Every structure is written in structure tokens, then in C-alpha cells.
Amino acid sequence: MSPDHPAAPRPAGHLSRRRLLAASALAAAASVTAGSRAAPARADGADDAAYQRAFDEALAADKNVRRHTTPGREFLYRPRQLLAADADAQRVTARLRALGHVVVVGDGFAGVTRLLFDRETDVPTLVTKLRDPQQWPGQPAPKVQPHHVLLGLGNIMGNPGGPPTTVAALSPPDPARLGEGAGVTVGICDTGIWRQAGGYHPQWLGGAYLPEVDDEDPLYVHTDVLAPQGGHGTFVAGVVRQAAPGVRVDPEQALTATGVGDEASVVAATARLAPAVSVVNLSLGGFTQDDQPSLPLANAVAALPATSAVVAAAGNAGTSRPLWPAALGRVVAVAAVSQGAGGVVPATYSGYGPWVDVCAVGERHSTYVEGQLPLPGRPTRVFHGFAAWAGTSFATAHVSGRLAALMTAGGLSADAARLTLLAAPRWHPDYGVLVG
């Protein structure tokens, strides 16, 4: 375990619900609000399957996405691109050309150089070859990787796989809680934010951010038909504000409205964050080749101010396989739990493992957008500004908000608040500290 992920006692046996709730460093600081209600029960899984199919079809139609499909080692990547650490780019380029590849040195970002092939190339196989130390006698193997595709984590990459559902409007913020997070800005690198979010949600989002054209979520495939993750960033912003009603947010677009981005788009979004941002929310992520840390994301996180904190989703694939950037040492990795009649239990869809730092309820009710979401072979869902949704994306947004609240309550920097949170006893070895 890295030094900035403090070790915590492992729970012995099964804990009572009372002790489970007490394990959260922030449980006493925040009551369970309407935003943490479980989503309404669905009649069956047909809508979930239809929604997953709609996303899969959109992803398959994307000419800039390729799938590596080896079972247990799946990941998505950009075609005809290979990333090499800047220090290794020259010799990697020379080796590729010696192997007969036509490759052009492209632009760089976050300490890596983008190498571009002139034709379709089996990038994962090339990466395996280039990483082999036997290919580099007398010198270290270079740092190379595919250009990984990252996805928003409200509904895809495994369960819950379900669409948002229509719900009633949120109640106004509790006036007694308006000081929570006051003076703190949370950066939200996501799909952007709905152009009308502040006006439609004056009590929750009005005045909470500076509207900028390049931050707008494109939302729609056409007319008022929503893309699969259109509104994801607006939903996340509402969850952050419910967790800390006094916080400001800085939305930046890192994903398309389909929910697709890559390492370059996420790095670019973090670079556009306002200087006032001290907590960075990344409700997104992806698997990587050989489960190796993403080099550009690691470099981008390392370049952030030491007093800041980064919070990222552990993913919805229901696996212990590390997801990036959540699994980076400095990042607070967030799993999801569910609330039921018997108490709080791990969400079946959530990523988990010793690399996870904290967990929170993943089923949320939040600010959303207007539009209709057609589902193949199922009734179209129509939204009027509010929705319920489930996923580690929304557990992550709640934790970002509670970190902001902890900052104002204790007069702490974001990093100090992070360390305070991680010093609490772990609710479960594979799910971390429970954040209420």
C-alpha cells in the first residue's frame, strides 16, 4: 500500500449495521438525504438490456474505438495510435520503422508522445513486443502503451447497465447546510453541463458555476433525443451539491454525450480546471493493457497541486481488476454500496479490491436534463429535469462533496481532508471507508 493510502484495521468477522455506519469518517457530518435514496425498482431487466445494447451499438459505430477482447483482459483503445514516454519516443519510433511500420511522431501530452501509424495496426501486440526486455539488450524497455479509451461510469462497462429513470423534483437544499463546502470548488471532468442547468435548477445549480460555452454538454443525438450519457455531468454536479450545498463546481467536458473519452481528453479537461479547484471529480475510467497504470493519467495527477485531491470511480464491472485513474496511489478510489431493508451492502455491480479507498451509496436522485431516451424495443423514457441513476459515478460525486464539506468543517486543505478520511477504519477490506 502506498504511503499516502494509510493502512487501516481490517474488520473481524461480520460487523453490525451500527458498526458499519460508524466506520464512516463523515457519517456523523451528513444525514442521509433524498439524494441517497435507492432508485425506484424496475419491473424487469429488459430496459437495462436495451440500454446496454444501445450503448454497445453506439460504441461499435465509433470508428475511433477498438476493443481488445481477451477474456479478463479487455480494454478499449484508439486505433492507429501508440503512446510512448517522451524520453523513449525517439528509440521506439526508430524500432517501429525498423520493423517496417510507417509511423509519424504526433503531438504530446502529459509526458507522452503520440505515435501515429499510417494504417490499421495491432497496437496491443506491438505494445507487448516493445515492453519485452529481451527486445532491448543492454538498455531498459521503453514505457509504451495503447491510447486507452475511458468511459463515464453511470451506466456502462458492466452492471448496473441501466438507464436513468424519471423521478419527482428534489426538495430544496436545507438552509442549515448551506455552509457545507462553502469556499471550495470541485472540478467535474465529465460530459460537461446542460446549457440550461442553472436556470432550470436555480436552487441546486444556479450560481454554483460559471457558465462557459466550451463546458456545455451536447446532450442530444438530434432534436431532443438524448445520447446514452447525455446529462451525466449535470447529474454528477447535482450529487456533489447535495453532499455539500455550499460548494461551487467547475464543469469541464472530458467525455462525449455518448460517454466516451480517452486519456488525452481527460488530461486536457484537468488542465482547463480553474485555479480555484481543489477537489477533482472523475466519474469515469477504463481498463488498461496488462492492468498497468495509465502513464499520462499518472503524470497529470502528479502535476496537480500537492494540496488538491482527486476522486475517481472504481467502475461498474463487478470485478477486482484495477480501473484507472481510480487505482493510482494518490487518487481516492470510490466503490458503491446499496441501501436496502437489511442495511448497507456492497453493490453487486461495483468494482472492489484493496486498491479501493472508500465507498458510498451508488443509487442517487439528482438534477438532470430535459429530453427523451429511446430504448430499442422498449418504451421511450421522457425526462423533465430530474432522474434517478445508479453507478460508481454517483458514489464518487457524493464523496467529492463530502470531502469539500470536511474541508470547511475542519479548515483543511483538500489533501488534508483526504488523509483524514482515509485514516478512518475500513468498512470492508475491498470497499474501504464508508462515507455517509
Side-chain angles (χ1 to χ4, degrees), residues 230-303:
H232 188 267
T234 303
F235 193 101
V236 165
V239 175
V240 171
R241 290 272 293 170
Q242 289 174 71
V247 78
R248 289 185 61 81
V249 297
D250 179 16
E252 297 291 344
Q253 188 179 11
L255 306 170
T256 67
T258 303
V260 177
D262 55 32
E263 289 157 313
S265 69
V266 172
V267 167
T270 62
R272 293 193 303 270
L273 291 170
V277 168
S278 53
V279 178
V280 180
N281 186 93
L282 300 174
S283 291
L284 51 80
F287 297 122
T288 61
Q289 182 166 351
D290 301 325
D291 295 335
Q292 294 297 304
S294 162
L295 182 58
L297 294 183
N299 290 341
V301 168

Side-chain angles (χ1 to χ4, degrees), residues 190-195 212-220 227 229-234 253 255-258 369:
D190 211 282
T191 60
I193 197 158
W194 183 28
R195 178 182 299 180
E212 295 182 334
V213 173
D214 63 353
D215 296 338
E216 291 178 3
D217 187 334
L219 288 180
Y220 306 112
Q229 279 206 74
H232 188 267
T234 303
Q253 188 179 11
L255 306 170
T256 67
T258 303
V369 300

Side-chain angles (χ1 to χ4, degrees), residues 354-417:
W355 55 275
V356 170
D357 299 297
V358 303
C359 57
V361 172
E363 294 80 28
R364 299 277 164 182
H365 173 186
S366 188
T367 53
Y368 195 51
V369 300
E370 283 194 318
Q372 57 176 315
L373 185 65
L375 300 172
R378 303 294 297 168
T380 294
R381 297 192 175 192
V382 180
F383 295 92
H384 298 290
F386 295 93
W389 217 343
T392 55
S393 276
F394 315 127
T396 299
H398 178 75
V399 171
S400 291
R402 293 314 301 161
L403 272 181
L406 186 59
M407 291 169 65
T408 55
L412 304 173
S413 70
D415 187 60

